[in-house]
Amino acid sequence: MARLLEHDAKVLLAARGVPVPTGDAASTPAEAAAIARSLSGPVAVKALVPVGHRAKAGAVRRCADPVDAEKATEALLGQSIGGFTVDQVRVEAWLPATAEYYLAAFFNEVTADVIVLASCSGGIEIEPASASERLARITIPAPFAPLPAFRARELWKQAGAPSALLPTLAGVTQRALAAFFDLDALLLELNPLIVTDQQHVFAAGAVLAVDDAALVRQPGIAERVVHGLPWRPLTPREQAVERLNQEEPYRGSARYLELDGGDIGFLCGGGGASLLLFDALVRAGGKPANYAELGGNPTERKVAGLARVVLEKPGVRGLFVAHNVTNNTQIDVIARGVVAALQATGKLPPAFPVVAREVGLHDGVGRAIFEQAGVRWLGEDVSLDEAAALMVSLLHEAG
Amino acid sequence: MAVLFDRQTRLLVQGITGREGQMVTAHMLRYGTAVVAGVTPGRSGMAVAGVPVFDTVAEAVAATQPNAALISVPPLAVLDAVLEALTHGLRLLVVATERVPLHDAAHMLAVAREAGATLIGPNSVGLICPGERVKVGAIGGEYPERVFVPGSIGIISRSGGMTAELALMVKRAGFGVSTAVSVGGDACIGMPPAALLPQFMADPETTAIVLFGEPGTQFEEDVAAWYATVRPPKPVFALIAGRFTEQLPEGTPFGHAAAVIRAAQGRPSAKIAALRAAGVWAGDQLAELTEFLAHLRRPLLQLTEAEHA
């Protein structure tokens, strides 16, 4: 799920007819003041970080004038909110609301359809739906078709919206859903969806996340997507692996997640085996320094690149290389890549223990390459769990 | 496995002229699968490993009468390929391609369901029946016999790679595989494990089933629910990986709806608990699988929670 910042979400939604308060993004207090000056009246200054509950974190400020906006921006820039550092804010018109509603659509993976939620009790206090809360809900089955106006009206009627507002709310809902399908979205939340005293509706808050796998067909979105984990941005090492992966996008895949501490470099694959192997290392008392997945049929360059990153993290005292028995991934390529990285970093057995449980295509050649470099190669008579336990005990001996 | 495919399966490969398509076709033919035609728009008249290539599924069906299709086309072309196959009467589809957009996956699963077709995948390494020497997909590579020996253990795996590793463990224990199915690594797949289990239970070749599960989805929970009500006669072992992911930070929910979604996240420990409560032998270690297989050699009628608790 690829998250977008609120500003980008609003730009995309506004282009598709969803009303949002007029505004723009600012990277400096001066820019913020300029935007505030161009809007008449009070403005909202909102920190642009890809996390929820920003209002509760004090990351949304109401500013009466441009001077206020400048000060608020200065205070917010550089702050850490939800693990992310604020380097931009959005400055937009603060519209007086007589009511705050809520509208959301999300792709339900369990049923492969889209759930739409609507409530007349929106705003920052909205919490997981309780039985008493009037949260209206409809399901849109695949194949996804535009939502008819009458269904949108029924949704808001069910939510308890005033009759006079039904046509307006229905229109906004239809356009929001059209945007959802157009953007390959997985999550769209408009909260608060405010109603002004003129009975106009605006999406004062917008949260948008889209399908990573669809970015190839979403020109303009890929650059706006925030690269990071839900709880923090990518580390420099993680960014290096992302770049490495992008350089040869059709030759296997390399994924790297840096962990706090740990002393075992983890270079494993495929996806399921990596999960199993990490569990096995931990169960044997080991402390992996990272999680990684090396999948498909990567080039030697990609293997060596990922291995180097794994090895270069401070504190790593050994390397664990393991895959499920492969039918497509070439073991000799993995061996060459790993050995190249060991040589480049100067981390060599026996002082730096390396275990490779690598069985499959060309493993005869792979074994020879590994063993020539002093790597402890393990074959099909050793299970993945046993290989992990061996790694932990080898490292313990070396320690 | 007679229900899904067998020696009589006549396979069409969509995307046959691609790098993956060509390699997989050659390996399937070598193993014994009857690959009767391929489709790549614009390449009519070519042949791949002796298999005739057509521009359209319609032509391929008219000329060679396939009854199953392996779809190995780029991610953005998968939905179209599935629709084309279904339109021309194909009712067993195996989608190998990974990174299919979720909206497309939802669309193709709905249409396949509507047509009464069996769709395996997307992101499936395929299926193999060693006893019949038939495989659909890349599963087992060029020499599947190294890892997949004929026998009576069914394998259903959410991880393509682990399908082979489990077959290897089964072989090491002195057993073999009846049918192994890689159901696909994605959250939206056509045949989740619970949908396949009844067919394995009805298969006379299969005496026990091994499942491989991961974090996310409700697939294993659904298996537990089914197992608890049906009380099937054949023992099941479920290996669930990824317990460590429960220790990773979650971050602040990205909006209220995200918190609703998070409620159905599918943690491995919850999966194992649900499976055990239903009477399925479930664990996170390969050593437990070895123990399960050892038990099969003993004259036990049925493995229950009490016996392996």
Side-chain angles (χ1 to χ4, degrees):
Chain A
M1 183 157 356
R3 300 178 174 190
L4 280 91
L5 296 171
E6 184 181 356
H7 171 70
D8 296 298
K10 282 176 164 163
V11 166
L12 292 165
L13 289 168
R16 288 162 178 78
V18 176
V20 302
T22 312
D24 206 344
S27 310
T28 68
E31 280 176 21
I35 298 167
R37 262 191 299 277
S38 73
L39 304 163
S40 57
V43 296
V45 172
K46 313 177 90 173
L48 293 175
V49 282
V51 299
H53 297 163
R54 282 170 302 140
K56 288 190 177 177
V60 175
R61 313 269 176 105
R62 183 185 185 281
C63 301
D65 55 46
V67 171
D68 236 7
E70 189 164 354
K71 286 200 194 113
T73 302
E74 185 153 20
L76 285 171
L77 290 175
Q79 251 196 59
S80 176
I81 296 172
F84 290 80
T85 302
V86 182
D87 59 21
Q88 271 202 312
V89 298
R90 176 172 162 97
V91 181
E92 63 183 26
W94 183 283
L95 303 171
T98 58
E100 291 185 327
Y101 291 175
Y102 171 92
L103 176 66
F106 66 90
F107 183 89
N108 186 346
E109 289 181 346
V110 177
T111 43
D113 51 31
V114 172
I115 312 280
V116 185
L117 301 172
S119 167
C120 293
S121 309
I124 71 173
E125 287 308 319
I126 191 165
E127 283 305 303
S130 57
S132 57
E133 196 184 320
R134 202 142 159 213
L135 195 70
R137 170 188 178 123
I138 59 173
T139 300
I140 303 179
F144 304 126
L147 187 72
F150 80 87
R151 288 203 74 200
R153 290 192 300 272
E154 284 175 351
L155 174 72
W156 282 104
K157 185 77 186 175
Q158 202 193 330
S163 303
L165 276 176
L166 292 180
T168 309
L169 289 168
V172 172
T173 303
Q174 283 182 291
R175 283 190 283 279
L177 278 165
F180 183 96
F181 292 124
D182 191 40
L183 296 167
D184 277 299
L186 298 181
L187 172 63
L188 171 63
E189 188 170 273
L190 305 180
N191 184 37
L193 185 65
I194 64 168
V195 183
T196 66
D197 51 7
Q198 304 296 310
Q199 303 295 284
H200 294 144
V201 169
F202 290 90
V207 165
L208 178 64
V210 301
D211 183 5
D212 311 75
L215 289 175
V216 286
R217 67 179 179 199
Q218 294 288 348
I221 311 278
E223 308 91 79
R224 295 175 190 263
V225 152
V226 175
H227 292 280
L229 299 160
W231 66 93
R232 63 161 171 76
L234 297 183
T235 65
R237 261 180 285 272
E238 288 168 349
Q239 289 175 39
V241 174
E242 288 260 306
R243 280 193 299 273
L244 177 73
N245 211 27
Q246 288 316 311
E247 280 158 19
E248 294 169 305
Y250 301 110
R251 298 305 318 274
S253 59
R255 288 194 187 90
Y256 175 80
L257 174 68
E258 193 164 345
L259 299 171
D260 287 334
D263 57 6
I264 302 178
F266 185 86
L267 185 62
C268 300
S274 290
L275 294 171
L276 196 76
L277 287 159
F278 195 102
D279 279 344
L281 281 175
V282 169
R283 204 164 44 237
K287 291 183 176 54
N290 66 281
Y291 180 74
E293 248 183 65
L294 185 58
N297 206 0
T299 59
E300 186 184 321
R301 188 170 168 278
K302 196 172 268 195
V303 176
L306 177 61
R308 279 197 72 159
V309 170
V310 170
L311 290 167
E312 280 167 356
K313 185 187 168 205
V316 170
R317 299 193 301 119
L319 181 68
F320 185 55
V321 184
H323 273 79
N324 47 253
V325 53
T326 78
N327 48 245
N328 188 29
T329 309
Q330 298 166 79
I331 307 302
D332 55 336
V333 172
I334 296 199
R336 270 189 265 271
V338 169
V339 171
L342 292 174
Q343 284 163 352
T345 57
K347 300 195 169 179
L348 296 158
F352 188 88
V354 181
V355 170
R357 193 284 195 168
E358 291 290 333
V359 178
L361 193 57
H362 307 160
D363 58 7
V365 179
R367 173 181 187 174
I369 296 168
F370 275 126
E371 289 182 335
Q372 190 152 50
V375 169
R376 177 80 181 267
W377 178 86
L378 303 171
E380 65 179 65
D381 52 314
V382 179
S383 77
L384 295 179
D385 283 10
E386 288 162 356
L390 184 66
M391 177 79 224
V392 174
S393 68
L394 267 185
L395 198 64
H396 195 249
E397 279 165 29
Chain B
M1 200 164 96
V3 179
L4 273 190
F5 78 126
D6 55 26
R7 296 211 73 85
Q8 315 309 320
T9 298
R10 299 171 57 77
L11 188 70
L12 166 70
V13 179
Q14 290 173 264
I16 195 171
T17 58
R19 195 167 61 100
E20 183 73 17
Q22 288 192 58
M23 184 174 69
V24 167
T25 297
H27 294 172
M28 289 190 294
L29 284 168
R30 184 207 156 268
Y31 194 58
T33 307
V35 184
V36 302
V39 167
T40 295
R43 301 302 185 98
S44 180
M46 271 184 66
V48 169
V51 176
V53 181
F54 300 88
D55 282 329
T56 65
V57 171
E59 293 171 284
V61 167
T64 65
Q65 298 88 51
N67 56 15
L70 170 66
I71 292 170
S72 189
V73 303
L76 300 187
V78 169
L79 172 60
D80 184 67
V82 168
L83 294 175
E84 189 183 359
L86 291 171
T87 298
H88 294 288
L90 289 156
R91 292 293 174 262
L92 171 59
L93 309 180
V94 179
V95 181
T97 310
E98 61 175 300
R99 295 195 60 77
V100 173
L102 278 169
H103 287 205
D104 287 5
H107 187 157
M108 68 198 211
L109 294 190
V111 179
R113 198 166 41 237
E114 188 69 29
T118 297
L119 189 154
I120 306 234
N123 195 11
S124 164
V125 149
L127 24 160
I128 185 169
C129 184
E132 306 256 308
R133 270 197 79 104
V134 181
K135 75 175 187 126
V136 176
I139 189 168
E142 193 173 356
Y143 302 105
E145 52 269 36
R146 176 179 178 181
V147 160
F148 293 94
V149 302
S152 65
I153 310 294
I155 296 177
I156 304 174
S157 174
R158 285 174 57 191
S159 156
M162 282 306 296
T163 318
E165 189 68 30
L166 290 174
L168 186 57
M169 294 294 291
V170 161
K171 178 185 163 190
R172 282 178 72 199
F175 288 83
V177 171
S178 55
T179 299
V181 181
S182 154
V183 293
D186 294 359
C188 294
I189 55 176
M191 287 290 270
L196 272 175
L197 269 175
Q199 304 191 52
F200 274 90
M201 291 295 167
D203 173 38
E205 304 296 318
T206 300
T207 57
I209 298 108
V210 175
L211 303 180
F212 181 80
E214 305 182 344
T217 81
Q218 294 290 290
F219 297 152
E220 291 78 19
E221 291 81 342
D222 292 341
V223 167
W226 171 80
Y227 197 94
T229 55
V230 175
R231 277 289 165 182
K234 300 177 186 176
V236 175
F237 178 83
L239 181 67
I240 312 293
R243 245 228 244 229
F244 76 93
T245 61
E246 296 176 31
Q247 307 307 316
L248 294 175
E250 278 186 337
T252 324
F254 197 46
H256 161 71
V260 172
I261 297 166
R262 189 175 285 181
Q265 274 310 283
R267 314 174 86 122
S269 55
K271 290 174 185 295
I272 291 175
L275 287 162
R276 286 182 179 163
V280 176
W281 191 334
D284 57 1
Q285 303 182 46
L286 284 168
E288 294 177 83
L289 168 59
T290 307
E291 210 188 314
F292 171 81
L293 293 170
H295 262 86
L296 291 177
R297 294 208 173 283
R298 296 207 230 132
L300 292 171
L301 291 172
Q302 187 177 344
L303 295 170
T304 64
E305 174 69 24
E307 284 168 32
H308 62 75

